[in-house]
Amino acid sequence: MSNKIIQVLIIEDDETATMIYKKFTQKVQGFQVVATTGSGKQALELLNVFTPDLILLDVFLPDIKGTDLLWEIRKKCRDVDVIMITAANDVHTVKEAIRGGAFSYLMKPIMLDKFMETLEHYKKTRMKLSSLETVQQDDVNTFFRMKKSEEPILMETKTNDLPKGIDKHTLKQVKQKLKEMSVSTNAEELAKKIGASHSTVRRYLEYLVSNSELEVEVMFGTIGRPERRYRKK
């Protein structure tokens, strides 16, 4: 099982996003995208034909909410793993994903390094589980990315703990500019203020969100993709 190719089904109604997920999934060794679909109905039909190892599942589908589809998938295929990929940041959706047994929950806009890192973690977890008959608590901690019991769940990020792509000086600059602002901002607005690229600033904003230092609100306009606005907690 450890050498078996991991077959992936992508359920996403945005064709551009689907192409991106497919391209970068197949850049990770050991993964193969077998099928893609943009609707829940078609996804369930596909699951009558074949059983993938992993499903990349969007929440906002045209015919069914992804978390409801997750429960339908669980009824049909208990052995299938699911990674949620979505712009939904409401607590109810996150709770439903956890209760439905999602392996991970990635929020749009997707950071591709985080996306590929999650796939690598999934592959390692899958290989480890296939090689064991019993597990120790340390193994479980690794599978669930739990910290040791003596460590606090939340702690201030140390400089030497910063992930790849996050520079301490730029992070300090972003934090300082956010501190001076009394209203929410998006990546483009903040980028102009600090003289950095839109993609760079968005990476730092998403990092601060993941570190529970910022809140993000998804604003839906009449045209274009939803706008993500960030504000201090």
Side-chain angles (χ1 to χ4, degrees):
M1 180 176 176
S2 61
N3 295 321
K4 179 178 177 292
I5 294 294
I6 297 171
Q7 296 188 326
V8 181
L9 167 63
I10 299 175
I11 307 174
E12 164 66 68
D13 66 329
D14 185 319
E15 292 184 5
T16 300
T18 297
M19 289 190 294
I20 292 172
Y21 302 156
K22 181 176 181 179
K23 176 180 179 179
F24 284 89
T25 295
Q26 297 189 156
K27 280 181 176 288
V28 182
Q29 186 175 2
F31 287 84
Q32 178 185 16
V33 176
V34 177
T36 66
T37 178
S39 74
K41 179 181 178 181
Q42 192 174 66
L44 293 174
E45 291 175 351
L46 283 169
L47 290 174
N48 287 326
V49 178
F50 86 110
T51 303
D53 300 302
L54 176 65
I55 292 175
L56 304 182
L57 175 60
D58 186 19
V59 168
F60 298 117
L61 297 171
D63 56 344
I64 186 173
K65 189 172 182 181
T67 45
D68 294 332
L69 180 58
L70 175 59
W71 289 108
E72 293 300 316
I73 292 169
R74 283 282 164 263
K75 292 177 186 177
K76 297 174 70 72
C77 309
R78 292 179 65 104
D79 292 337
V80 174
D81 296 309
V82 177
I83 293 176
M84 308 296 293
I85 303 181
T86 177
N89 64 345
D90 61 286
V91 172
H92 175 74
T93 300
V94 175
K95 284 182 177 179
E96 282 295 290
I98 293 172
R99 290 167 181 155
F103 179 83
S104 188
Y105 193 101
L106 298 176
M107 294 183 64
K108 298 179 180 179
I110 297 299
M111 307 302 291
L112 290 175
D113 54 349
K114 179 65 176 178
F115 175 78
M116 297 173 75
E117 175 191 337
T118 300
L119 292 181
E120 286 285 5
H121 177 62
Y122 170 75
K123 180 174 68 173
K124 289 176 182 177
T125 300
R126 181 181 171 86
M127 291 175 65
K128 183 80 171 181
L129 284 170
S130 70
S131 67
L132 297 174
E133 293 184 2
T134 61
V135 297
Q136 303 298 320
Q137 184 63 54
D138 286 346
D139 297 318
V140 176
N141 290 349
T142 300
F143 298 148
F144 287 92
R145 294 190 174 185
M146 296 166 60
K147 297 180 179 180
K148 295 179 181 178
S149 58
E150 66 269 21
E151 295 176 343
I153 295 177
L154 292 175
M155 64 181 71
E156 185 176 352
T157 303
K158 298 177 182 178
T159 299
N160 58 0
D161 290 335
L162 294 176
K164 183 179 179 182
I166 301 295
D167 172 73
K168 66 177 182 179
H169 301 295
T170 306
L171 181 60
K172 183 178 180 180
Q173 186 180 13
V174 170
K175 284 185 174 182
Q176 181 59 41
K177 189 58 65 175
L178 287 167
K179 189 176 180 180
E180 297 171 1
M181 301 176 68
S182 58
V183 296
S184 66
T185 185
N186 61 25
E188 183 176 0
E189 292 168 351
L190 188 59
K192 291 178 180 178
K193 291 180 181 295
I194 67 174
S197 69
H198 173 274
S199 60
T200 296
V201 170
R202 186 177 66 180
R203 181 167 68 249
Y204 282 82
L205 289 171
E206 290 297 330
Y207 168 72
L208 290 172
V209 170
S210 70
N211 206 37
S212 301
E213 296 181 55
L214 288 181
E215 292 180 336
V216 63
E217 180 181 11
V218 180
M219 306 291 290
F220 293 90
T222 56
I223 57 173
R225 298 183 65 83
E227 177 191 12
R228 291 172 70 81
R229 296 196 67 83
Y230 305 84
R231 62 177 178 271
K232 296 173 289 185
K233 283 194 170 184

